């Protein structure tokens, strides 16, 4: 689908050409060329009299390559040429399925509570200029995305957009997954069920405190960039990790799932919401100083990709720790110390599950895996498995050193003798039999102490001494194109 023609742009005569790769126009007198990649074109509209057409596109910011700005160019000319050329561009955009109808859920309480105001002032004008049909709904309480999506006509939209922080993205992710399983007749609470992937992508408009998923997607928290990335229509598949307790699915995580220290940190941050975003700088330090160990038994199902390269009966495989990609240049001494410090692991021959016990500070996983690249840990969407990270008992100074390296995204941040990593498809954590329990009025046994899981910035309190985590690869698509 190609075309060419003579038009007027900003009072100058230009020769325009459109191909599947680019739109280019050349000043006929100065021979100056301007071109736009077709992937960056968002819409093309003609004037009422069809004497001109406007192309809206995403252009790189002059100050920051990660940021985008809205570009607009108007071509004027004879009605017949305008009609032919504009329809070629519009046909290309239709074939490449740019989203034209969006449901936008807004969390007014995220971050600095500017979500709705920023939507009206910054987002809505761009959508209107691009002719996007958008229904914006301001949520009023936790869990409402699931309620809204429960009976919404998803066939009437091309995408769901979450305007809020990482926690709100998690809520929208859960709502979309629950709705899809309901439509497909899949038991959402069954940890062994093979889930059906939603058919529409999710977009994220940053309005939270951290906005990590958006930063992983676009390399920036810029709101305009996020809007344009959604309208460009490109998407990437991403994973989730579901957490189950007592035959119920508590939630799906799309970013981080942390039991122990990071669960306590998030719970403590929630208690100090009055501090605003400052609580994330202060409360975690206090939580680290008051860290507690937990005696646990962990069963895990090694990832199929890992199991296929090692013999399940091999002693080396039983003690294998997966280092981040690129750590082969690090001295092997720390790895050997780590192997010798790992507790004995029992193998369940019947179903491939393995088991380890220990006194730990944390058991964590990240659906968006961090892998070493160019001297730093980089996000990896759609990885083949989960990496379960277990932090054993250690000195406070060593723990602070290790967490500082994680915060600085250093490739050797897990290269410590008290940190274990396994590539898994699922894992179960069971608290020791000495953990205090209480009997409820219904006769049900529940934990008598508080234990929390950090699920994408939300603290989930456990009620029973065991939970299970399951891996779901490419469960949903996100609008965006992460840098490679």
């Amino acid at each position: 689908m190609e075309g060419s023609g003579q038009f007027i742009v900003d009072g100058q005569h230009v020769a325009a050409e459109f191909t599947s790769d680019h739109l280019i126009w050349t000043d006929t007198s100065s021979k100056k060329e301007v071109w736009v990649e077709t992937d960056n074109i968002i819409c093309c509209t003609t004037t009422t009299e069809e004497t001109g057409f406007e192309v809206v596109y995403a252009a790189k910011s002059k100050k920051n390559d990660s940021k985008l700005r809205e570009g607009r160019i108007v071509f004027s000319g004879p009605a017949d040429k305008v009609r032919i050329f504009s329809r070629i561009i519009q046909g290309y955009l239709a074939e490449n399925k740019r989203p034209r109808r969006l449901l936008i859920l807004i969390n007014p309480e995220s971050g600095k509570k500017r979500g709705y105001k920023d939507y009206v002032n910054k987002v809505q004008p761009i959508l209107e200029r691009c002719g996007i049909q958008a229904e914006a709904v301001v949520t009023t309480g936790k869990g409402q995305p699931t309620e809204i999506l429960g009976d919404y006509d998803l066939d009437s939209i091309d995408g769901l957009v979450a305007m809020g922080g990482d926690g709100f993205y998690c809520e929208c992710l859960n709502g979309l997954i629950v709705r899809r399983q309901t439509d497909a007749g899949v038991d959402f609470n069954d940890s062994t069920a093979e889930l059906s992937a939603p058919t529409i992508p999710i977009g994220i408009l940053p309005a939270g405190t951290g906005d990590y998923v958006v930063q992983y997607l676009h390399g920036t928290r810029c709101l305009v960039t996020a809007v344009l990335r959604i309208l460009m229509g490109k998407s990437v598949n991403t994973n989730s990790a579901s957490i189950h307790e007592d035959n119920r699915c508590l939630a799906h995580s799309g970013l981080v799932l942390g039991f122990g220290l990071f669960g306590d940190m998030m719970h403590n941050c929630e208690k100090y919401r009055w501090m605003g975003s400052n609580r994330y700088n202060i409360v975690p330090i206090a939580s680290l100083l008051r860290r507690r160990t937990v005696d646990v038994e962990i069963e895990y199902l090694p990832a199929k990709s890992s199991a296929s390269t090692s013999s399940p009966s091999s002693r080396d495989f039983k003690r294998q720790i997966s280092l981040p990609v690129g750590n082969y240049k690090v001295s092997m001494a720390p790895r050997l110390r780590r192997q010798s410090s790992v507790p004995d692991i029992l193998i369940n021959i019947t179903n491939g599950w393995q088991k380890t016990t220990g006194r730990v500070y944390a058991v964590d996983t990240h659906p968006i895996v961090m892998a070493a690249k160019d001297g730093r840990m980089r996000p990896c969407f759609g990885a083949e498995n989960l990496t379960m990270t277990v932090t054993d008992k250690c000195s406070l100074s060593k723990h602070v050193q290790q967490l500082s390296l994680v915060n600085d995204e250093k490739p050797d941040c897990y290269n410590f003798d008290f940190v274990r990593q396994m590539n898994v498809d699922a894992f179960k954590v069971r608290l020791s039999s000495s953990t205090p329990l209480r009997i409820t009025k219904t006769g049900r046994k529940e934990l008598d102490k508080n234990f929390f899981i950090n699920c994408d910035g939300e603290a989930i309190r456990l009620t029973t001494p065991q939970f299970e985590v399951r891996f779901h690869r490419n469960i949903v698509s996100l609008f965006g194109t992460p840098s490679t």
Side-chain angles (χ1 to χ4, degrees):
M1 187 173 291
E2 299 180 353
S4 60
Q6 300 289 325
F7 300 97
I8 296 176
V9 173
D10 295 331
Q12 302 297 318
H13 290 272
V14 301
E17 179 187 56
F18 181 83
T19 71
S20 58
D21 295 322
H22 61 259
L23 168 65
I24 185 171
W25 58 98
T26 306
D27 189 310
T28 55
S29 58
S30 67
K31 304 302 180 183
K32 179 182 178 181
E33 288 186 348
V34 181
W35 59 276
V36 176
E37 293 182 5
T38 50
D39 284 346
N40 294 351
I41 298 177
I42 295 171
C43 69
C44 174
T45 56
T46 57
T47 61
T48 304
E49 301 81 9
E50 291 190 333
T51 56
F53 63 94
E54 180 183 60
V55 175
V56 179
Y57 59 95
K60 283 189 176 182
S61 169
K62 297 178 181 179
K63 296 181 179 180
N64 187 329
D65 286 344
S66 297
K67 293 184 178 181
L68 299 178
R69 59 180 176 84
E70 182 185 5
R72 301 162 66 189
I73 186 73
V74 177
F75 296 83
S76 301
D80 56 340
K81 291 185 178 181
V82 166
R83 189 182 307 114
I84 294 173
F85 200 89
S86 61
R87 286 180 179 176
I88 290 174
I89 299 177
Q90 292 165 353
Y92 170 84
L93 296 177
E95 287 182 2
N96 286 270
K97 298 181 179 179
R98 298 290 195 275
R100 309 302 299 169
R101 304 164 301 169
L102 299 172
L103 170 61
I104 302 177
L105 302 183
I106 304 171
N107 183 359
E109 298 299 317
S110 291
K112 297 181 180 180
K113 302 183 179 182
R114 292 179 49 89
Y116 180 69
K117 185 176 181 180
D118 283 345
Y119 173 78
V120 172
N121 294 333
K122 299 180 180 180
V123 179
Q124 192 172 24
I126 298 177
L127 300 180
E128 291 177 350
R129 285 194 292 270
C130 295
I132 305 300
Q133 300 176 29
E135 179 181 357
V137 179
V138 179
T139 58
T140 57
K142 188 175 181 179
Q144 197 174 13
T146 299
E147 297 176 10
I148 295 172
L149 294 170
D151 56 5
Y152 197 88
D153 181 10
L154 298 182
D155 291 333
S156 67
I157 57 176
D158 302 316
L160 169 67
V161 178
M163 186 164 187
D166 293 317
F168 190 64
Y169 157 65
C170 176
E171 287 192 57
C172 293
L173 170 71
N174 277 268
L176 197 58
I177 292 177
V178 170
R179 168 62 187 275
R180 179 57 184 167
Q181 306 326 302
T182 301
D183 291 346
V186 177
D187 185 355
F188 176 75
N189 291 306
D190 183 359
S191 64
T192 63
E194 184 173 345
L195 301 188
S196 177
T199 57
I200 60 173
I202 298 180
I204 308 174
L205 297 177
T209 303
D211 299 319
Y212 288 104
V213 179
V214 165
Q215 292 188 70
Y216 290 165
L217 277 170
H218 314 313
T220 177
R221 296 174 63 186
C222 173
L223 182 56
V224 172
T225 298
V227 177
L228 296 176
R229 287 291 185 188
I230 291 172
L231 300 185
M232 288 163 66
K234 295 292 185 180
S235 63
V236 61
N237 291 331
T238 190
N239 305 329
S240 79
S242 59
I243 175 171
H244 302 260
E245 182 191 42
D246 200 19
N247 298 317
R248 292 185 305 120
C249 180
L250 302 182
H252 275 252
S253 164
L255 178 63
V256 58
L257 202 61
F259 167 74
L261 175 61
F262 298 109
D264 291 343
M265 281 183 177
M266 192 50 56
H267 170 66
N268 293 335
C269 284
E270 288 298 301
K271 292 191 297 184
Y272 293 93
R273 292 190 69 89
W274 58 269
M275 295 176 64
S277 59
N278 289 329
R279 68 186 186 276
Y280 295 112
N281 298 323
I282 300 173
V283 176
I285 297 176
S287 300
L288 181 59
L289 294 176
R290 297 196 304 267
R291 63 191 181 139
R292 57 174 174 169
T293 56
V294 185
D295 290 323
V296 297
E297 177 182 278
I298 303 173
E299 293 184 39
Y300 63 95
L301 187 62
K304 295 182 180 66
S305 57
S306 297
S308 63
T309 58
S310 303
S311 168
S313 60
S314 163
R315 183 173 179 84
D316 289 338
F317 176 71
K318 289 187 289 182
R319 294 182 178 273
Q320 179 179 353
I321 303 302
S322 300
L323 293 175
V325 177
N327 274 7
Y328 56 85
K329 293 182 179 179
V330 179
S331 168
M332 288 301 294
R335 182 176 181 181
L336 294 175
R337 289 198 302 271
R338 174 156 62 254
Q339 290 176 335
S340 64
S341 69
V342 175
D344 286 335
I345 297 174
L346 307 177
I347 298 180
N348 187 331
I349 301 299
T350 60
N351 58 18
W353 286 78
Q354 300 182 9
K355 182 166 65 177
T356 181
T357 60
R359 179 166 293 180
V360 305
Y361 283 120
V363 181
D364 312 303
T365 192
H366 297 77
I368 302 176
V369 173
M370 302 298 287
K373 181 181 179 181
D374 299 329
R376 293 183 64 183
M377 300 296 284
R378 305 288 187 180
C380 177
F381 290 85
E384 294 185 355
N385 47 64
L386 289 175
T387 299
M388 179 182 68
T389 303
V390 180
T391 305
D392 293 315
K393 187 176 181 180
C394 60
S395 69
L396 179 60
S397 61
K398 287 290 186 180
H399 203 174
V400 170
Q401 180 187 1
Q402 189 261 331
L403 292 177
S404 296
L405 293 177
V406 172
N407 186 65
D408 293 338
E409 300 177 343
K410 298 297 184 181
D412 59 347
C413 60
Y414 298 112
N415 196 22
F416 287 79
D417 59 0
F418 55 85
V419 178
R420 296 180 270 158
Q421 289 192 301
M422 301 84 166
N423 291 333
V424 302
D425 288 328
F427 64 89
K428 303 174 184 178
V429 176
R430 183 181 297 108
L431 305 184
S432 71
S433 57
S434 61
T435 304
L437 300 176
R438 61 184 177 88
I439 308 298
T440 65
K441 294 181 180 179
T442 60
R444 183 170 178 267
K445 292 183 179 181
E446 290 188 351
L447 290 170
D448 198 35
K449 295 179 65 176
N450 288 330
F451 293 93
F452 300 95
I453 293 177
N454 173 7
C455 179
D456 295 350
E458 299 294 328
I460 298 177
R461 182 184 180 275
L462 294 175
T463 59
T464 64
Q466 177 176 313
F467 67 89
E468 180 177 357
V469 173
R470 286 278 177 168
F471 172 63
H472 305 281
R473 186 168 189 241
N474 294 338
I475 189 62
V476 73
S477 295
L478 290 176
F479 282 120
T481 49
S483 58
T484 56

